[in-house]
Amino acid sequence: VISLYFRRYLLMALTSCLFGLSAAVDSKPNILLFLADDLGIGDIGCYGNNTIRTPNIDRLARGGVKLTQHIAAAPLCTPSRAAFLTGRYPIRSGMASSNRYRALQWNAGSGGLPANETTFARLLQKQGYTTGLIGKWHQGVNCESFNDNCHHPLNHGFDYFYGMPFTLLNNCQENKPPELDVALQAKLWLYSQIIILAVLTLTAGKLIGLISIRWKIIACCTLVGSLFFISWYSSYGFVQYWNCILMRNHDVTEQPMRLERTASLMLKEAVSFIKRNRHGPFLLFVSFLHVHTPLFTTAKFIGKSHHGLYGDNVEEMDWMVGKILDSLDKEGLKNHTLTYFASDHGGHLEAQDGSAQLGGWNGIYKGGKGMGGWEGGIRVPGVFRWPGVLPAGTVIDEPTSLMDIYPTVVHLAGGILPQDRVIDGRSLVPLLQGRAQKSEHEFLFHYCGSYLHAVRWHQKNSGAIWKAHYVTPVFHPPGAGACYGKGICPCFGEGVTHHDPPLLFDLSRDPSEAKPLSADTEPLFDIVIRKIERAVEEHHRTLTRVPEQLSVYNIMWKPWLQPCCGTFPLCWCDKEGDSTQSL
């Protein structure tokens, strides 16, 4: 009898638990997404860093689920974020580059996330969500005119946008060396100086009678030289005005932006969005400008960390995360909000100022930002929290992707995935809740631009995580682990090495990719390589040719596309005034 009552009680408890969980999942939670910029997986406490203080991100992990094999679809900002927003490899949307420009270079370029791509924000809009983006966009603005806004966040499902349509650069800070196209600028300066020297030499020779030349020819050379100089200096000479701007919806509010108050403005906007939409449901995507160079950090965080300016910047970002989480608590929304934190790709190893490291740390993983194959470029933090629904303190070692956020939030919102295109992400809901033990990903394809550099095979029946590298960057200097002196490692050309047969690693035994396997050391070598090659062939059959958004023409500065808060070229404004306040 006791056994019978116990079984009945257990059945009732289990039914109640499942019903409560189903009701919670079906109730359209608020969605809060944090995405850091250039943050290394080794930079935060819950992933092993014991010197940079990140208490707020760490409490997210303690109260939720931590992913240890969370993979970006690209090792650079623009393509990675395109994949995050669409749940698709960047090559499917044209956001993967076949040239050396692998990210958008200007607000006034014509490339960007195509209007026919469907973001998770658009699908959540259809489910009654109010959608907002605070922070970095870097997916383009205009296509054909300065106000067509074809690539703008508001044209991709966001009801509200406040932030930077581009990305932070050293050019955005007065006392920093330029960062945008430095090598090309140096060549253009050299050519301009040669032209000036030639014109001066011709003029002097004419005046003293050493050269017999008509003044019209000298005037023509002067005109050509002047036009050449204006043609490039009108863009590269004013990067701070053209790229370093803030927008509210379609309106430019700061041009150029004042970095000393940007963090406060972003935080104020995020907290205000939550307060305005507390009756929900809402989707808020907080896309941090931290921790991209120039690492501008407000005064109260300067010198506070043990890792210089970079550590200070990480700690300021963590403080902002805490303030936004506090606003959820204040509005009583903590238990009804799915919160997610990640980085768009690995830390930037080559970012240095002399001996000072200005980029992140990728822990035990080889490589960093810009490297499409090595783990350090694509393995990122991934943390979920939803009190009462997701089990606290859980660690999941299965392969997951930033592209998985797309089907995950669409599922929770009660939406339906597009049926007219390939969606590469997989819903993480069963895995996060503990109803599934294995990731739905069997293969993940690791691109560098439009070039396939590596492939990961999750052999579920054995637990092995095989990874084959077809192309790897040539480190400079040799053995350095990065491409120092080059900004980032290239994807093709003389700066890479092609491997045939590919380099093979089992990440379950060698996560640092330190010891490549061979047919002599691994009995399954040939079988694994053939399996991966068949997967590559099947993957290639799913690709269709689309316009390349990052072509040289599309990324060029076009003055007629320049967002401007005045009459071009007199673009200067400060509509924010001193609207910031202590938070």
Side-chain angles (χ1 to χ4, degrees), residues 105-134:
Q105 302 292 299
W106 300 96
N107 278 323
S110 54
L113 190 63
N116 62 358
E117 286 294 323
T118 304
T119 67
F120 56 68
R122 186 179 301 283
L123 294 180
L124 265 63
Q125 261 186 340
K126 294 179 179 179
Q127 296 303 311
Y129 277 70
T130 301
T131 57
L133 167 59
I134 309 296

PDB file of all heavy atoms in Angstrom, residues 105-134:
ATOM      1  N   GLN A 105      33.546  48.116 -43.802  1.00  0.00           N
ATOM      2  CA  GLN A 105      34.580  49.117 -43.519  1.00  0.00           C
ATOM      3  C   GLN A 105      34.034  50.517 -43.273  1.00  0.00           C
ATOM      4  O   GLN A 105      34.714  51.342 -42.673  1.00  0.00           O
ATOM      5  CB  GLN A 105      35.565  49.181 -44.700  1.00  0.00           C
ATOM      6  CG  GLN A 105      36.235  47.851 -45.027  1.00  0.00           C
ATOM      7  CD  GLN A 105      37.195  47.405 -43.949  1.00  0.00           C
ATOM      8  OE1 GLN A 105      38.166  48.092 -43.657  1.00  0.00           O
ATOM      9  NE2 GLN A 105      36.911  46.269 -43.334  1.00  0.00           N
ATOM     10  N   TRP A 106      32.807  50.777 -43.751  1.00  0.00           N
ATOM     11  CA  TRP A 106      32.257  52.134 -43.671  1.00  0.00           C
ATOM     12  C   TRP A 106      30.747  52.091 -43.427  1.00  0.00           C
ATOM     13  O   TRP A 106      30.061  51.182 -43.896  1.00  0.00           O
ATOM     14  CB  TRP A 106      32.485  52.898 -44.993  1.00  0.00           C
ATOM     15  CG  TRP A 106      33.902  53.060 -45.398  1.00  0.00           C
ATOM     16  CD1 TRP A 106      34.620  52.277 -46.263  1.00  0.00           C
ATOM     17  CD2 TRP A 106      34.803  54.073 -44.956  1.00  0.00           C
ATOM     18  NE1 TRP A 106      35.897  52.740 -46.383  1.00  0.00           N
ATOM     19  CE2 TRP A 106      36.045  53.850 -45.596  1.00  0.00           C
ATOM     20  CE3 TRP A 106      34.684  55.166 -44.082  1.00  0.00           C
ATOM     21  CZ2 TRP A 106      37.156  54.665 -45.385  1.00  0.00           C
ATOM     22  CZ3 TRP A 106      35.791  55.976 -43.869  1.00  0.00           C
ATOM     23  CH2 TRP A 106      37.002  55.727 -44.523  1.00  0.00           C
ATOM     24  N   ASN A 107      30.257  53.097 -42.722  1.00  0.00           N
ATOM     25  CA  ASN A 107      28.803  53.302 -42.660  1.00  0.00           C
ATOM     26  C   ASN A 107      28.250  53.592 -44.045  1.00  0.00           C
ATOM     27  O   ASN A 107      27.087  53.306 -44.334  1.00  0.00           O
ATOM     28  CB  ASN A 107      28.465  54.476 -41.736  1.00  0.00           C
ATOM     29  CG  ASN A 107      28.464  54.073 -40.270  1.00  0.00           C
ATOM     30  OD1 ASN A 107      28.057  52.975 -39.918  1.00  0.00           O
ATOM     31  ND2 ASN A 107      28.935  54.966 -39.413  1.00  0.00           N
ATOM     32  N   ALA A 108      29.093  54.203 -44.895  1.00  0.00           N
ATOM     33  CA  ALA A 108      28.650  54.615 -46.222  1.00  0.00           C
ATOM     34  C   ALA A 108      29.016  53.589 -47.292  1.00  0.00           C
ATOM     35  O   ALA A 108      29.143  53.929 -48.463  1.00  0.00           O
ATOM     36  CB  ALA A 108      29.241  55.973 -46.579  1.00  0.00           C
ATOM     37  N   GLY A 109      29.169  52.333 -46.895  1.00  0.00           N
ATOM     38  CA  GLY A 109      29.288  51.270 -47.884  1.00  0.00           C
ATOM     39  C   GLY A 109      27.897  50.816 -48.296  1.00  0.00           C
ATOM     40  O   GLY A 109      26.903  51.108 -47.622  1.00  0.00           O
ATOM     41  N   SER A 110      27.797  50.094 -49.390  1.00  0.00           N
ATOM     42  CA  SER A 110      26.479  49.638 -49.865  1.00  0.00           C
ATOM     43  C   SER A 110      26.191  48.191 -49.490  1.00  0.00           C
ATOM     44  O   SER A 110      25.084  47.697 -49.713  1.00  0.00           O
ATOM     45  CB  SER A 110      26.374  49.812 -51.386  1.00  0.00           C
ATOM     46  OG  SER A 110      27.466  49.176 -52.040  1.00  0.00           O
ATOM     47  N   GLY A 111      27.170  47.489 -48.908  1.00  0.00           N
ATOM     48  CA  GLY A 111      26.955  46.116 -48.489  1.00  0.00           C
ATOM     49  C   GLY A 111      26.294  46.045 -47.124  1.00  0.00           C
ATOM     50  O   GLY A 111      26.304  47.007 -46.353  1.00  0.00           O
ATOM     51  N   GLY A 112      25.742  44.873 -46.810  1.00  0.00           N
ATOM     52  CA  GLY A 112      25.120  44.679 -45.508  1.00  0.00           C
ATOM     53  C   GLY A 112      24.196  43.478 -45.519  1.00  0.00           C
ATOM     54  O   GLY A 112      24.055  42.785 -46.530  1.00  0.00           O
ATOM     55  N   LEU A 113      23.549  43.249 -44.394  1.00  0.00           N
ATOM     56  CA  LEU A 113      22.645  42.115 -44.279  1.00  0.00           C
ATOM     57  C   LEU A 113      21.482  42.308 -45.248  1.00  0.00           C
ATOM     58  O   LEU A 113      20.725  43.271 -45.138  1.00  0.00           O
ATOM     59  CB  LEU A 113      22.127  42.003 -42.842  1.00  0.00           C
ATOM     60  CG  LEU A 113      21.344  40.728 -42.504  1.00  0.00           C
ATOM     61  CD1 LEU A 113      22.235  39.491 -42.643  1.00  0.00           C
ATOM     62  CD2 LEU A 113      20.773  40.824 -41.094  1.00  0.00           C
ATOM     63  N   PRO A 114      21.313  41.405 -46.229  1.00  0.00           N
ATOM     64  CA  PRO A 114      20.294  41.600 -47.268  1.00  0.00           C
ATOM     65  C   PRO A 114      18.884  41.678 -46.676  1.00  0.00           C
ATOM     66  O   PRO A 114      18.573  41.024 -45.671  1.00  0.00           O
ATOM     67  CB  PRO A 114      20.449  40.356 -48.157  1.00  0.00           C
ATOM     68  CG  PRO A 114      21.840  39.880 -47.919  1.00  0.00           C
ATOM     69  CD  PRO A 114      22.128  40.192 -46.491  1.00  0.00           C
ATOM     70  N   ALA A 115      18.042  42.454 -47.326  1.00  0.00           N
ATOM     71  CA  ALA A 115      16.670  42.645 -46.855  1.00  0.00           C
ATOM     72  C   ALA A 115      15.858  41.355 -46.897  1.00  0.00           C
ATOM     73  O   ALA A 115      14.869  41.223 -46.161  1.00  0.00           O
ATOM     74  CB  ALA A 115      15.981  43.730 -47.686  1.00  0.00           C
ATOM     75  N   ASN A 116      16.272  40.397 -47.724  1.00  0.00           N
ATOM     76  CA  ASN A 116      15.507  39.146 -47.811  1.00  0.00           C
ATOM     77  C   ASN A 116      15.924  38.119 -46.768  1.00  0.00           C
ATOM     78  O   ASN A 116      15.393  37.012 -46.738  1.00  0.00           O
ATOM     79  CB  ASN A 116      15.611  38.539 -49.214  1.00  0.00           C
ATOM     80  CG  ASN A 116      17.039  38.176 -49.587  1.00  0.00           C
ATOM     81  OD1 ASN A 116      17.971  38.410 -48.828  1.00  0.00           O
ATOM     82  ND2 ASN A 116      17.215  37.609 -50.767  1.00  0.00           N
ATOM     83  N   GLU A 117      16.887  38.478 -45.897  1.00  0.00           N
ATOM     84  CA  GLU A 117      17.228  37.610 -44.772  1.00  0.00           C
ATOM     85  C   GLU A 117      16.257  37.889 -43.622  1.00  0.00           C
ATOM     86  O   GLU A 117      15.918  39.037 -43.353  1.00  0.00           O
ATOM     87  CB  GLU A 117      18.664  37.847 -44.315  1.00  0.00           C
ATOM     88  CG  GLU A 117      19.707  37.280 -45.263  1.00  0.00           C
ATOM     89  CD  GLU A 117      19.673  35.762 -45.338  1.00  0.00           C
ATOM     90  OE1 GLU A 117      19.427  35.104 -44.308  1.00  0.00           O
ATOM     91  OE2 GLU A 117      19.899  35.224 -46.450  1.00  0.00           O
ATOM     92  N   THR A 118      15.813  36.836 -42.965  1.00  0.00           N
ATOM     93  CA  THR A 118      14.834  36.957 -41.880  1.00  0.00           C
ATOM     94  C   THR A 118      15.532  36.756 -40.547  1.00  0.00           C
ATOM     95  O   THR A 118      15.996  35.651 -40.238  1.00  0.00           O
ATOM     96  CB  THR A 118      13.717  35.909 -42.041  1.00  0.00           C
ATOM     97  OG1 THR A 118      13.110  36.061 -43.324  1.00  0.00           O
ATOM     98  CG2 THR A 118      12.662  36.080 -40.960  1.00  0.00           C
ATOM     99  N   THR A 119      15.626  37.811 -39.747  1.00  0.00           N
ATOM    100  CA  THR A 119      16.280  37.722 -38.445  1.00  0.00           C
ATOM    101  C   THR A 119      15.312  37.172 -37.401  1.00  0.00           C
ATOM    102  O   THR A 119      14.087  37.162 -37.599  1.00  0.00           O
ATOM    103  CB  THR A 119      16.761  39.096 -37.983  1.00  0.00           C
ATOM    104  OG1 THR A 119      15.616  39.937 -37.732  1.00  0.00           O
ATOM    105  CG2 THR A 119      17.651  39.761 -39.029  1.00  0.00           C
ATOM    106  N   PHE A 120      15.855  36.740 -36.265  1.00  0.00           N
ATOM    107  CA  PHE A 120      14.980  36.288 -35.181  1.00  0.00           C
ATOM    108  C   PHE A 120      14.136  37.434 -34.650  1.00  0.00           C
ATOM    109  O   PHE A 120      13.020  37.224 -34.171  1.00  0.00           O
ATOM    110  CB  PHE A 120      15.765  35.602 -34.059  1.00  0.00           C
ATOM    111  CG  PHE A 120      16.876  36.405 -33.429  1.00  0.00           C
ATOM    112  CD1 PHE A 120      16.614  37.524 -32.651  1.00  0.00           C
ATOM    113  CD2 PHE A 120      18.197  36.008 -33.584  1.00  0.00           C
ATOM    114  CE1 PHE A 120      17.645  38.243 -32.050  1.00  0.00           C
ATOM    115  CE2 PHE A 120      19.234  36.714 -32.981  1.00  0.00           C
ATOM    116  CZ  PHE A 120      18.960  37.839 -32.213  1.00  0.00           C
ATOM    117  N   ALA A 121      14.636  38.673 -34.767  1.00  0.00           N
ATOM    118  CA  ALA A 121      13.847  39.827 -34.308  1.00  0.00           C
ATOM    119  C   ALA A 121      12.566  39.960 -35.127  1.00  0.00           C
ATOM    120  O   ALA A 121      11.490  40.250 -34.575  1.00  0.00           O
ATOM    121  CB  ALA A 121      14.681  41.100 -34.419  1.00  0.00           C
ATOM    122  N   ARG A 122      12.662  39.743 -36.430  1.00  0.00           N
ATOM    123  CA  ARG A 122      11.468  39.848 -37.279  1.00  0.00           C
ATOM    124  C   ARG A 122      10.441  38.772 -36.917  1.00  0.00           C
ATOM    125  O   ARG A 122       9.229  39.039 -36.860  1.00  0.00           O
ATOM    126  CB  ARG A 122      11.860  39.728 -38.749  1.00  0.00           C
ATOM    127  CG  ARG A 122      10.698  39.972 -39.703  1.00  0.00           C
ATOM    128  CD  ARG A 122      11.120  39.862 -41.149  1.00  0.00           C
ATOM    129  NE  ARG A 122      12.171  40.788 -41.501  1.00  0.00           N
ATOM    130  CZ  ARG A 122      11.991  42.082 -41.726  1.00  0.00           C
ATOM    131  NH1 ARG A 122      10.783  42.604 -41.600  1.00  0.00           N
ATOM    132  NH2 ARG A 122      13.001  42.859 -42.060  1.00  0.00           N
ATOM    133  N   LEU A 123      10.918  37.558 -36.649  1.00  0.00           N
ATOM    134  CA  LEU A 123       9.990  36.485 -36.297  1.00  0.00           C
ATOM    135  C   LEU A 123       9.345  36.722 -34.933  1.00  0.00           C
ATOM    136  O   LEU A 123       8.169  36.409 -34.730  1.00  0.00           O
ATOM    137  CB  LEU A 123      10.722  35.138 -36.313  1.00  0.00           C
ATOM    138  CG  LEU A 123      11.212  34.664 -37.685  1.00  0.00           C
ATOM    139  CD1 LEU A 123      11.926  33.327 -37.567  1.00  0.00           C
ATOM    140  CD2 LEU A 123      10.067  34.557 -38.676  1.00  0.00           C
ATOM    141  N   LEU A 124      10.106  37.284 -33.996  1.00  0.00           N
ATOM    142  CA  LEU A 124       9.526  37.579 -32.681  1.00  0.00           C
ATOM    143  C   LEU A 124       8.550  38.744 -32.745  1.00  0.00           C
ATOM    144  O   LEU A 124       7.572  38.783 -31.983  1.00  0.00           O
ATOM    145  CB  LEU A 124      10.630  37.849 -31.655  1.00  0.00           C
ATOM    146  CG  LEU A 124      11.034  36.609 -30.827  1.00  0.00           C
ATOM    147  CD1 LEU A 124      11.611  35.517 -31.706  1.00  0.00           C
ATOM    148  CD2 LEU A 124      12.002  36.977 -29.718  1.00  0.00           C
ATOM    149  N   GLN A 125       8.812  39.693 -33.646  1.00  0.00           N
ATOM    150  CA  GLN A 125       7.833  40.771 -33.875  1.00  0.00           C
ATOM    151  C   GLN A 125       6.465  40.185 -34.218  1.00  0.00           C
ATOM    152  O   GLN A 125       5.435  40.627 -33.716  1.00  0.00           O
ATOM    153  CB  GLN A 125       8.297  41.660 -35.021  1.00  0.00           C
ATOM    154  CG  GLN A 125       8.979  42.943 -34.626  1.00  0.00           C
ATOM    155  CD  GLN A 125       9.264  43.808 -35.851  1.00  0.00           C
ATOM    156  OE1 GLN A 125       9.292  43.332 -36.992  1.00  0.00           O
ATOM    157  NE2 GLN A 125       9.483  45.089 -35.620  1.00  0.00           N
ATOM    158  N   LYS A 126       6.485  39.174 -35.080  1.00  0.00           N
ATOM    159  CA  LYS A 126       5.229  38.560 -35.521  1.00  0.00           C
ATOM    160  C   LYS A 126       4.520  37.828 -34.389  1.00  0.00           C
ATOM    161  O   LYS A 126       3.318  37.560 -34.477  1.00  0.00           O
ATOM    162  CB  LYS A 126       5.500  37.591 -36.679  1.00  0.00           C
ATOM    163  CG  LYS A 126       5.991  38.270 -37.950  1.00  0.00           C
ATOM    164  CD  LYS A 126       6.279  37.263 -39.052  1.00  0.00           C
ATOM    165  CE  LYS A 126       6.750  37.946 -40.330  1.00  0.00           C
ATOM    166  NZ  LYS A 126       7.066  36.962 -41.407  1.00  0.00           N
ATOM    167  N   GLN A 127       5.269  37.504 -33.331  1.00  0.00           N
ATOM    168  CA  GLN A 127       4.668  36.826 -32.183  1.00  0.00           C
ATOM    169  C   GLN A 127       4.271  37.803 -31.080  1.00  0.00           C
ATOM    170  O   GLN A 127       3.983  37.392 -29.955  1.00  0.00           O
ATOM    171  CB  GLN A 127       5.658  35.796 -31.622  1.00  0.00           C
ATOM    172  CG  GLN A 127       5.977  34.668 -32.579  1.00  0.00           C
ATOM    173  CD  GLN A 127       4.733  33.921 -33.033  1.00  0.00           C
ATOM    174  OE1 GLN A 127       3.909  33.529 -32.208  1.00  0.00           O
ATOM    175  NE2 GLN A 127       4.581  33.745 -34.340  1.00  0.00           N
ATOM    176  N   GLY A 128       4.269  39.094 -31.423  1.00  0.00           N
ATOM    177  CA  GLY A 128       3.809  40.098 -30.467  1.00  0.00           C
ATOM    178  C   GLY A 128       4.882  40.681 -29.577  1.00  0.00           C
ATOM    179  O   GLY A 128       4.574  41.419 -28.633  1.00  0.00           O
ATOM    180  N   TYR A 129       6.150  40.378 -29.851  1.00  0.00           N
ATOM    181  CA  TYR A 129       7.250  40.922 -29.059  1.00  0.00           C
ATOM    182  C   TYR A 129       7.573  42.351 -29.481  1.00  0.00           C
ATOM    183  O   TYR A 129       7.522  42.686 -30.675  1.00  0.00           O
ATOM    184  CB  TYR A 129       8.503  40.069 -29.235  1.00  0.00           C
ATOM    185  CG  TYR A 129       8.563  38.839 -28.351  1.00  0.00           C
ATOM    186  CD1 TYR A 129       7.711  37.758 -28.582  1.00  0.00           C
ATOM    187  CD2 TYR A 129       9.461  38.752 -27.300  1.00  0.00           C
ATOM    188  CE1 TYR A 129       7.763  36.623 -27.785  1.00  0.00           C
ATOM    189  CE2 TYR A 129       9.526  37.626 -26.497  1.00  0.00           C
ATOM    190  CZ  TYR A 129       8.679  36.562 -26.739  1.00  0.00           C
ATOM    191  OH  TYR A 129       8.724  35.448 -25.944  1.00  0.00           O
ATOM    192  N   THR A 130       7.938  43.177 -28.504  1.00  0.00           N
ATOM    193  CA  THR A 130       8.557  44.465 -28.785  1.00  0.00           C
ATOM    194  C   THR A 130      10.058  44.224 -28.817  1.00  0.00           C
ATOM    195  O   THR A 130      10.619  43.659 -27.869  1.00  0.00           O
ATOM    196  CB  THR A 130       8.225  45.500 -27.701  1.00  0.00           C
ATOM    197  OG1 THR A 130       6.807  45.652 -27.628  1.00  0.00           O
ATOM    198  CG2 THR A 130       8.862  46.842 -28.015  1.00  0.00           C
ATOM    199  N   THR A 131      10.700  44.613 -29.895  1.00  0.00           N
ATOM    200  CA  THR A 131      12.094  44.236 -30.120  1.00  0.00           C
ATOM    201  C   THR A 131      12.995  45.461 -30.102  1.00  0.00           C
ATOM    202  O   THR A 131      12.670  46.493 -30.703  1.00  0.00           O
ATOM    203  CB  THR A 131      12.248  43.499 -31.460  1.00  0.00           C
ATOM    204  OG1 THR A 131      11.756  44.343 -32.511  1.00  0.00           O
ATOM    205  CG2 THR A 131      11.446  42.204 -31.453  1.00  0.00           C
ATOM    206  N   GLY A 132      14.128  45.347 -29.437  1.00  0.00           N
ATOM    207  CA  GLY A 132      15.063  46.461 -29.353  1.00  0.00           C
ATOM    208  C   GLY A 132      16.499  46.015 -29.471  1.00  0.00           C
ATOM    209  O   GLY A 132      16.864  44.920 -29.032  1.00  0.00           O
ATOM    210  N   LEU A 133      17.315  46.862 -30.074  1.00  0.00           N
ATOM    211  CA  LEU A 133      18.761  46.642 -30.193  1.00  0.00           C
ATOM    212  C   LEU A 133      19.469  47.861 -29.618  1.00  0.00           C
ATOM    213  O   LEU A 133      19.248  48.992 -30.070  1.00  0.00           O
ATOM    214  CB  LEU A 133      19.158  46.444 -31.657  1.00  0.00           C
ATOM    215  CG  LEU A 133      20.659  46.510 -31.992  1.00  0.00           C
ATOM    216  CD1 LEU A 133      21.449  45.464 -31.223  1.00  0.00           C
ATOM    217  CD2 LEU A 133      20.897  46.347 -33.490  1.00  0.00           C
ATOM    218  N   ILE A 134      20.305  47.629 -28.612  1.00  0.00           N
ATOM    219  CA  ILE A 134      21.110  48.685 -28.010  1.00  0.00           C
ATOM    220  C   ILE A 134      22.570  48.334 -28.229  1.00  0.00           C
ATOM    221  O   ILE A 134      23.026  47.266 -27.801  1.00  0.00           O
ATOM    222  CB  ILE A 134      20.836  48.822 -26.487  1.00  0.00           C
ATOM    223  CG1 ILE A 134      19.340  48.941 -26.202  1.00  0.00           C
ATOM    224  CG2 ILE A 134      21.613  50.000 -25.914  1.00  0.00           C
ATOM    225  CD1 ILE A 134      18.694  50.164 -26.766  1.00  0.00           C
TER     226      ILE A 134
END
